[in-house]
Amino acid sequence: MNKKKVYASIEIADSEVRLVVLETFEARQSILRVESAPCSGVKNQTIVDEVAVINAIRSCVNSAQAALGYRIERVLLAIPSINVERVNQKIRLQIEDGTKNIRLFHVQQGLKRAFQRKLDSGAELVNANRIQYIIDNEVTSKMPIGMECKDFYMDVDLLYADKEALFKFVECIEKANLEVLDIYLDSFAIGQETAAISQSTDRPVIQLDLEKESTNMTYFGNGKLMNCANFETGYSSFVSELQEKYNLTDEVCFRLLQNIFSSTIEENSDVIVYIDQSDEGRIEITARELAESCIPKIRDWIADVNEMCDPIVALGKAKYIITGKGANISVLKMMENAFNAPANVYKPTSIGARDGRYTCCLGMAYAWTDINRIRHSDVTSPNNNELEASIDSIKSKTGKIQNRFTKKLKSVILSEDK
């Protein structure tokens, strides 16, 4: 019988740490808690201030624990897509027990053998990219449990990433008194949530993870991640001119970007959208000034993306998916036709996490669920004893409320009968 399981996932992005705690049950997800904490400890996808990162992780986890009533002990961790290498190998598996039936044990052995592959470059294995099964020359992505054959092949695509970066991110998690349940490339996890991976089976998909300081571009094809590249221009560049002119904070700048309501500069009026008064003077920014400063820079960013991705678009039927915190900038939705292929600004639809910044954390839960069909691990994120106690407490309170309601309902019915 399937049980509800609780998982926590963490992304250490370039301006903040993000945490999502969710419950999975029969392929459904329910968001229990989302948290984010500003963090200046990451620069160019590299940890430059370990203490700042650890403090941000603890802030997110402590807030979530206080709200949920139990400790989070293990997390799914996203690492940046730096120096990604993709390795494909075929593993032959013979069924020698006389049954001639494929069992979960055989698949687990195949995956274990694939994961033993080491690269001369020193890059570290992060996660499986795609797993397919070849039986009598027939290819399937579905686990062939119970099928009869003498032997079969597992076609396993693996993703490797920068070893030093991986260890630094893991070290921060461990120093925050947490265990790492599993690790995923951020681009791969995002592709799980946006469905870029599944959509790429019949067309090239270019995924743009737009964050403050950079844009991570990922090319998906044939149902797997093909390549990653980091474009060192993020949404902060859109508003850099105004930030420098008025000495604005990062938070104010992002709110201003969210207040551009038309991609046509002339349609933005002289209505004041930001006012601030300080000892240095008064600041007033109109919708037109905001648009005149930011929209040309957004168009420049799109033009740069178009130029870099033109070889992929030339393959035909390509599409773009834009996500990340930058997906919350509403004017991007109005500028989808500026890309050189069909584009879609993506934000999650899960209740409680309808925010582009949580796309990666949500995707990690899907990625874990997929690989756990092979692993069959019962390990989850919370302290189990405290989780059970919390569930019992909720059931007790709910029962009392329902009981009081039932008594009131009975009294009303009886009084009406009289």
Side-chain angles (χ1 to χ4, degrees), residues 5 58 62 67 76 97 111 140 144 153 160 177 195 199 211-212 223 233 238 257 263 269 277 284 334 340 342 373 411:
K5 296 181 179 179
R58 287 174 175 167
N62 290 340
L76 302 169
D97 56 10
L111 187 64
T140 178
Y153 290 87
Y160 294 75
N177 299 320
Q199 291 180 52
E211 293 292 345
K212 179 187 172 187
T233 302
F238 303 163
L257 287 172
S263 60
S269 67
Q277 183 73 46
E284 292 184 356
M334 307 172 199
N340 58 355
R373 291 190 179 100
S411 65

Side-chain angles (χ1 to χ4, degrees), residues 28 50 53 108 149 182 235 246 266 281 288 328 382 393 398 404:
R28 295 193 303 272
E50 188 179 80
V53 173
Q108 290 172 333
C149 62
D182 206 357
Y235 61 75
Y246 295 112
E266 294 73 20
R288 181 178 290 272
N328 298 327
S393 175
T398 304
R404 287 199 297 269

